Amino acid sequence: GQSLEQPSEVTAVEGAIVQINCTYQTSGFYGLSWYQQHDGGAPTFLSYNALDGLEETGRFSSFLSRSDSYGYLLLQELQMKDSASYFCAVRDHSNYQLIWGAGTKLIIKP
Amino acid sequence: ETGVTQTPRHLVMGMTNKKSLKCEQHLGHNAMYWYKQSAKKPLELMFVYNFKEQTENNSVPSRFSPECPNSSHLFLHLHTLQPEDSALYLCASSQESRGTGELFFGEGSRLTVL
């Protein structure tokens, strides 16, 4: 079957750097996406990696290794507002719809 | 207007009630989606509409009935639900349903079935 694995919870300190990993098992691959969801809020798109390597957008970066079926989201200079759940997702090869991980809750301490 | 708007934000219903969830997108997108979100579980795709036509029904029980009158509006009609249907129901839209573009989500309708 197709699945994604990510840690359920990660704790970090304000101002620090944190990495949220995602490994996937899919029959085909069309890219790895990351979404952020604050408590009570809508999931919002953060990044999309179709090719290997690091994509940087401000304090957030996303990495993909297709040979390892692995990616991560890197958050730098953590701020309290980054406390949220982060979801990785890949596209299903059969119907192009997103398959989601269960989400990683990021807890930031002062 | 925010991009994707869902109403109501919260809904409590009995197992014999009939209610509807509404979603409206102001982004000019052609695809709309219903997802179910339960705690500590991956988002579950329920239905996909592309240019008002249903293109995905992810083995959803018939007590959930979607309706898409146009590309901007999506409804989820609820009838004789079960307590295990209690969850956050998220609506999303995208430019079209089979591309690699991002999804834009609403804030969801929190459903409690008693």
Side-chain angles (χ1 to χ4, degrees):
Chain A
Q2 304 186 92
S3 65
L4 291 89
E5 295 290 330
Q6 54 181 131
S8 60
E9 190 174 291
V10 172
T11 301
V13 178
E14 190 175 16
I17 299 173
V18 72
Q19 179 174 310
I20 299 173
N21 298 320
C22 176
T23 57
Y24 58 87
Q25 285 187 316
T26 56
S27 58
F29 182 76
Y30 290 113
L32 181 68
S33 299
W34 288 93
Y35 285 75
Q36 177 193 61
Q37 185 180 27
H38 288 98
D39 282 347
T44 56
F45 173 81
L46 290 177
S47 68
Y48 172 71
N49 293 64
L51 302 175
D52 292 349
L54 190 68
E55 296 275 346
E56 299 182 55
T57 308
R59 294 186 297 113
F60 291 10
S61 303
S62 56
F63 173 83
L64 174 66
S65 170
R66 288 174 295 172
S67 61
D68 296 321
S69 298
Y70 164 75
Y72 64 73
L73 181 69
L74 189 73
L75 296 82
Q76 302 183 73
E77 301 172 20
L78 285 172
Q79 302 175 10
M80 296 304 294
K81 67 178 182 179
D82 298 329
S83 296
S85 292
Y86 293 84
F87 296 85
C88 57
V90 298
R91 290 213 175 260
D92 187 307
H93 189 254
S94 63
N95 64 5
Y96 294 87
Q97 300 308 313
L98 287 174
I99 304 169
W100 297 80
T104 298
K105 185 176 179 65
L106 176 60
I107 298 169
I108 300 174
K109 298 185 175 180
Chain B
E1 284 282 1
T2 56
V4 181
T5 305
Q6 291 188 242
T7 55
R9 293 294 312 277
H10 300 272
L11 179 63
V12 179
M13 58 187 291
M15 292 165 59
T16 58
N17 292 158
K18 287 185 180 180
K19 297 286 184 183
S20 295
L21 307 181
K22 179 182 176 182
C23 176
E24 184 174 2
Q25 58 98 359
H26 307 274
L27 301 168
H29 288 162
N30 298 306
M32 295 188 77
Y33 311 74
W34 281 116
Y35 280 92
K36 176 182 179 182
Q37 185 174 35
S38 304
K40 301 188 187 301
K41 293 177 67 175
L43 272 70
E44 298 175 47
L45 179 66
M46 300 176 72
F47 301 104
V48 181
Y49 280 82
N50 201 39
F51 293 92
K52 301 190 302 177
E53 300 297 320
Q54 189 181 116
T55 57
E56 290 288 328
N57 177 337
N58 203 23
S59 302
V60 180
S62 59
R63 58 185 183 269
F64 295 91
S65 174
E67 178 189 1
C68 188
N70 54 61
S71 292
S72 298
H73 293 86
L74 186 64
F75 296 88
L76 188 62
H77 304 299
L78 314 171
H79 177 49
T80 59
L81 295 191
Q82 305 298 311
E84 60 264 30
D85 297 323
S86 298
L88 182 69
Y89 288 86
L90 290 164
C91 173
S93 71
S94 66
Q95 189 58 47
E96 49 94 17
S97 67
R98 295 176 71 84
T100 57
E102 64 184 275
L103 298 183
F104 292 79
F105 284 87
E107 293 185 318
S109 294
R110 173 72 62 186
L111 174 66
T112 303
V113 181
L114 302 177

